[in-house]
Amino acid sequence: MFASTDRAAVATAMDRMSLDLQRGLLPYALALFAICLPIYVWAGSFASNTVWMTATFAMFAINWAAFYFVVAWLKTEAATNIRRRMRVHIACGLLWAVTCGQIAVVAEAAGPAREALQMVAVAAAVICFFFSAPSLPALLIVGPAAAAGPLLGLFLHPESRLQAGLAWGAVALTMALCLILNRLLRAQFTLVAEREALFAERAASLEKAERLAKSKSDIVATLSHEIRNGLTGVTHVLAAAVGQGGRAAPSREQLAAALDAANDLVTVLNATLDSETAHAGRLTLDQEAFDPVRLTRDLVLLNRPHAAAKGVELALHVEPGLESLAVGAAMADATRTRQVLANLIGNAVKYTVRGRIEARIERRGEDRIAVSIADTGPGLTPEEMEQAFEPFRRVERTGAGIPGAGLGLSLARQLAQLMGGSLAGQSAVGVGSCFTLELAWDAEASVEVPAEPEPFASVTAAAAHSTRPLRVLIAEDDALNAAMLRAILEQLGHQVVHAHNGRRALDLAQLAEFDLLMLDGRMPLLDGPQTAAAVRALDAPVAAAPIIAVIGGDAEEARECLEAGADAVLRKPVTVAGVARAVADAVARSRDETSASRSAA
């Protein structure tokens, strides 16, 4: 139990409690010294040296004044420094030790009252021992210093050996009892400090649990709203498409609206999953060199038609000389950087009604590069800017009627920090906003640039023409996933045969010839790895056909599929570009292996 707490914090807490106890005893110490003062005055009246008596009274006055100011100082914030407080407590104890020594000096000239005054000084030293007991450093320093003067005065006179022995015994006994008391107090302080540490841990855990519960509640509330609204619209359009309710077929505009709603739902779900993964610390990022100018220019070209449709100019400004650099690259995860910049540019286009949007790329120092997205949108107040970066929080003044989960900027900042960069925003109401992404820059790194840059076109078109039309067998037990995969493959120009499980796919593979197999990782009867292994074991041409495993994202599932004979892995949810690229890669790999085997033969 104690091992889980911070030992240094516990030790500090123990010192603080010992000093607090000493502070609580100060009034009682002053009261005892006030009681001893008349006795000292009576005994000191027999002394012939009035100067020493006056000096002693002055010491009492100084000590009481010092203690008054110390008590007042302990109530201020400056007294939170434990080491400083310890030094102040020891200094105050030494003031009374000096007073005991002063009394012992006065006793030497007190005539018949000498022994009585020395015993008064011993009693004062015993008081110093007692009130220094809570703090071990103070006890070991103040107590012996207070007892040294009167004991020395008694032992210097042979006729006072009896009183000296009694005084020495009293001081030794007091020291032993005070050490025992200090030990007991420190044991109690340890228990209290451990309890406070445990309470602090429990409070932190409770706060973390409350934040997690609130986050989950926000996720459920946001997704419920976004999914309900989006799916309702998509359902109505699909109902019209299948002719339910006698309604006419949906128009192109209605289909486009349904597609936009579905894309918004996918965006919300992806942002939510990424945010939760990043918050849990499970989001893995690659540190690679890439060209931020090329990446930003692609995003500007991609969003320029949307901005032009609203009458908004979208421009790109690159710092002079940055594009002509032979070496030098940003160091981060290119895919996640694209995600962050796509969100920033998309927000600027979404919220800017008129005016201009500009993406600026510039160096900052020797090892940083900044990409700023400035717009002439409605702008935000400082309070609204803080709210915009909070997850699942939207600015109602500017976001009313605009779909979204309120996760874009929060996730973008998380990604920027995970990549070793930063994301900051500046805004003024009625003027616009500027969000700046800063990333690491390596002046010695280089990025491979294609000799002939591809025209700005979709990956789908490039990959679609890279292969001839294929006969594809897909094995998928989920009807919706199968329909989506079939639609994508047919869009790419391929012929598709669908099997509902692995057993049916194996039977079809033995009856017909297929150029490509796409197998779901988890299916009834035969799962993806078992089906792939069975196909590879067939004595037929299909055994050499490329196989793509379509999985849910589990690394163990991917490993099993590859070991069973799959040539590539495609993770759900699939996209047109992802399927096109996977098909092209699998077919190319299969052709390379075939050519190699023929050459070897």
Side-chain angles (χ1 to χ4, degrees), residues 544-555:
I547 298 176
I548 299 176
V550 186
I551 66 172
D554 186 5

Side-chain angles (χ1 to χ4, degrees), residues 106-120:
V106 172
E108 289 300 312
R114 181 184 61 79
E115 292 182 355
L117 278 178
Q118 294 290 11
M119 296 305 292
V120 169

Side-chain angles (χ1 to χ4, degrees), residues 389-477:
F389 278 106
E390 295 179 7
F392 299 103
R393 293 286 303 276
R394 304 190 63 200
V395 181
E396 297 298 332
R397 182 178 62 84
T398 60
I402 299 178
L407 264 178
L409 287 178
S410 171
L411 176 59
R413 173 171 281 181
Q414 282 182 300
L415 293 175
Q417 293 173 346
L418 289 174
M419 293 187 293
S422 63
L423 177 62
Q426 295 177 333
S427 187
V429 177
V431 177
S433 303
C434 179
F435 293 90
T436 302
L437 172 67
E438 280 196 20
L439 296 173
W441 173 266
D442 188 350
E444 304 299 328
S446 59
V447 181
E448 294 184 3
V449 180
E452 296 181 0
E454 298 179 358
F456 183 73
S458 66
V459 179
T460 305
H465 298 293
S466 62
T467 61
R468 61 180 175 81
L470 305 174
R471 285 177 53 83
V472 183
L473 172 62
I474 61 174
E476 173 62 69
D477 61 320

Side-chain angles (χ1 to χ4, degrees), residues 22 105 203:
Q22 271 193 307
V105 172

Side-chain angles (χ1 to χ4, degrees), residues 531-552:
T531 306
V535 169
R536 293 300 187 211
L538 292 176
D539 186 14
V542 72
I547 298 176
I548 299 176
V550 186
I551 66 172

Side-chain angles (χ1 to χ4, degrees), residues 114 149-158 160-161 163-168:
R114 181 184 61 79
L151 286 178
L152 184 61
L154 288 172
F155 276 107
L156 286 177
H157 297 275
S160 302
R161 290 299 176 89
Q163 288 78 4
L166 293 175
W168 170 252

